[in-house]
Amino acid sequence: PDLDQTVGLLARTLINRPNVELLIKKSRLETPDMTPLERDRLIEALLRDIKVAGIGRDNVFSFTYRDPSAERARQIVQDLVSLFLDSDTSTKRRDAEAAREFIDDQIRSYEVRLAEAEERLKDFKLRNLGVADASGKDYYARMSALTDDMAKLYVELRAAEQARDALKRELGGESTSIIPDIAPPN
């Protein structure tokens, strides 16, 4: 989406009643003697007066709020930015977790497929020892083709494991390191 759409989306998702209620608590704007009507008016005023604008560069936004107290205005904007960053971090964490779960599922699938391929290879060897097919390929040529298929599955498994490990490092804040390839067993 263009910048105006992004800003509009950000404003709608960030500046809503539940978030403004959190902002009121975080900024300590609510007083113990405040009536529910005064609280609702404060929420409506914040919903109306807090502005979000794009600065012209990708993913750079301006949050503004005007208040007679400069310190209160600064605190509200600072808490709003903090709320924005917290929501962005939790979204990234959820996305990374979903990606990790997907990769784990893929790894399990590759492991099952690999075990099935190994079992078929074993059965094939037992059934076709020394038998040639119509194209003249004997057991060893067919075994070579199946070994190539199995090697491809190992490569896919290793790639999925590396992607999963990279996501784990990203979630854990670790630095990336190079993982040596492991040769498939013979």
Side-chain angles (χ1 to χ4, degrees):
D2 65 11
L3 184 61
D4 291 336
Q5 289 174 328
T6 303
V7 169
L9 179 63
L10 176 63
R12 284 190 305 276
T13 57
L14 182 64
I15 304 171
N16 56 40
R17 188 172 184 97
N19 283 347
V20 169
E21 288 174 352
L22 284 173
L23 186 63
I24 288 172
K25 288 178 185 175
K26 192 171 191 176
S27 300
R28 297 184 186 101
L29 296 175
E30 188 174 12
T31 60
D33 60 335
M34 186 178 278
T35 67
L37 181 61
E38 290 173 327
R39 187 174 189 280
D40 284 342
R41 285 184 183 154
L42 177 60
I43 291 170
E44 292 301 322
L46 288 171
L47 286 169
R48 182 186 62 243
D49 295 341
I50 294 173
K51 304 291 181 214
V52 178
I55 297 192
R57 298 186 320 214
D58 291 336
N59 298 325
V60 178
F61 303 99
S62 169
F63 297 96
T64 57
Y65 173 73
R66 296 190 187 276
D67 192 270
S69 166
E71 179 59 30
R72 184 170 40 201
R74 184 196 63 75
Q75 183 65 42
I76 288 173
V77 170
Q78 184 176 357
D79 290 342
L80 183 64
V81 169
S82 175
L83 184 67
F84 170 69
L85 292 175
D86 289 347
S87 69
D88 186 50
T89 302
S90 66
T91 299
K92 286 181 180 176
R93 189 176 296 119
R94 278 192 310 271
D95 290 346
E97 183 65 25
R100 186 189 62 75
E101 287 175 13
F102 172 77
I103 290 172
D104 285 344
D105 288 344
Q106 291 296 307
I107 289 170
R108 284 189 290 277
S109 171
Y110 288 134
E111 287 172 343
V112 167
R113 289 173 51 196
L114 182 60
E116 289 170 353
E118 288 174 339
E119 186 64 28
R120 285 192 313 265
L121 177 61
K122 182 182 93 177
D123 291 343
F124 176 81
K125 285 179 182 179
L126 293 173
R127 281 191 322 266
N128 299 303
L129 188 59
V131 176
D133 64 5
S135 65
K137 290 184 181 177
D138 64 359
Y139 160 77
Y140 295 103
R142 291 188 307 247
M143 186 177 83
S144 176
L146 287 173
T147 302
D148 290 344
D149 290 345
M150 196 168 74
K152 288 177 187 175
L153 287 172
Y154 271 108
V155 169
E156 289 177 8
L157 174 64
R158 188 66 186 142
E161 286 173 339
Q162 287 176 347
R164 178 201 59 204
D165 293 342
L167 281 171
K168 282 182 180 177
R169 284 190 301 278
E170 181 179 322
L171 285 173
E174 297 178 10
S175 62
T176 305
S177 63
I178 297 175
I179 300 169
D181 285 335
I182 297 173
N186 289 331

